[in-house]
Structures are given as structure tokens and as C-alpha cells.
Amino acid sequence: LITLYEQNIGLVTPMILDELREAEDRYPMHWVEDAIREAVRANARSWRYISKVLEGGPPMDDKMRRV
């Protein structure tokens, strides 16, 4: 997850590391990964955007998988 974040969003600071760990505990891993991908697609590369995607429920890719 850290590598995915660094490769697509930016440097993982201590605060971001805490946020990523919390997200790992709170959400299924594929939700977090999909939220990062959604941020890249939307060209909104920030943890704030990713967290809003997660708070809104399963990212779109996850909803599509259930169909």
C-alpha cells in the first residue's frame, strides 16, 4: 500500500503513514487501492481526496465487481 501511494500520489510522511495504517484497519485493502486509483484517474492526488472516496463507500471499481 505504501509503495502504491508513493508511486501514484507522493511521499509518505509520518502523518500519511498513520492515515494509511488506519485505513488498512478500517477498510478492505482493495477499497483503499481502488480509492488511490480513483484519485489518480481524477487527477486529485491527495490523501484528502482518497479518504473522501473511502468515506463515501466502496469505490466504483468495487461496486462494478459485485455486478
Side-chain angles (χ1 to χ4, degrees):
L1 187 60
I2 292 168
T3 301
L4 181 66
Y5 188 92
E6 286 183 328
Q7 289 176 344
N8 293 283
I9 307 301
L11 182 64
V12 174
T13 65
M15 288 178 66
I16 294 296
L17 184 58
D18 289 343
E19 295 286 348
L20 288 170
R21 287 181 178 152
E22 186 177 314
E24 284 179 320
D25 292 340
R26 191 174 204 181
Y27 305 104
M29 182 64 69
H30 67 276
W31 284 20
V32 181
E33 292 169 349
D34 288 347
I36 291 172
R37 289 184 185 98
E38 176 60 30
V40 171
R41 277 192 284 268
N43 199 28
R45 295 176 175 170
S46 71
W47 176 253
R48 187 173 189 175
Y49 185 90
I50 294 164
S51 67
K52 292 298 180 189
V53 170
L54 289 168
E55 289 170 11
M60 183 60 72
D61 288 351
D62 190 62
K63 289 177 185 175
M64 290 177 174
R65 278 189 214 130
R66 287 192 242 157
V67 174

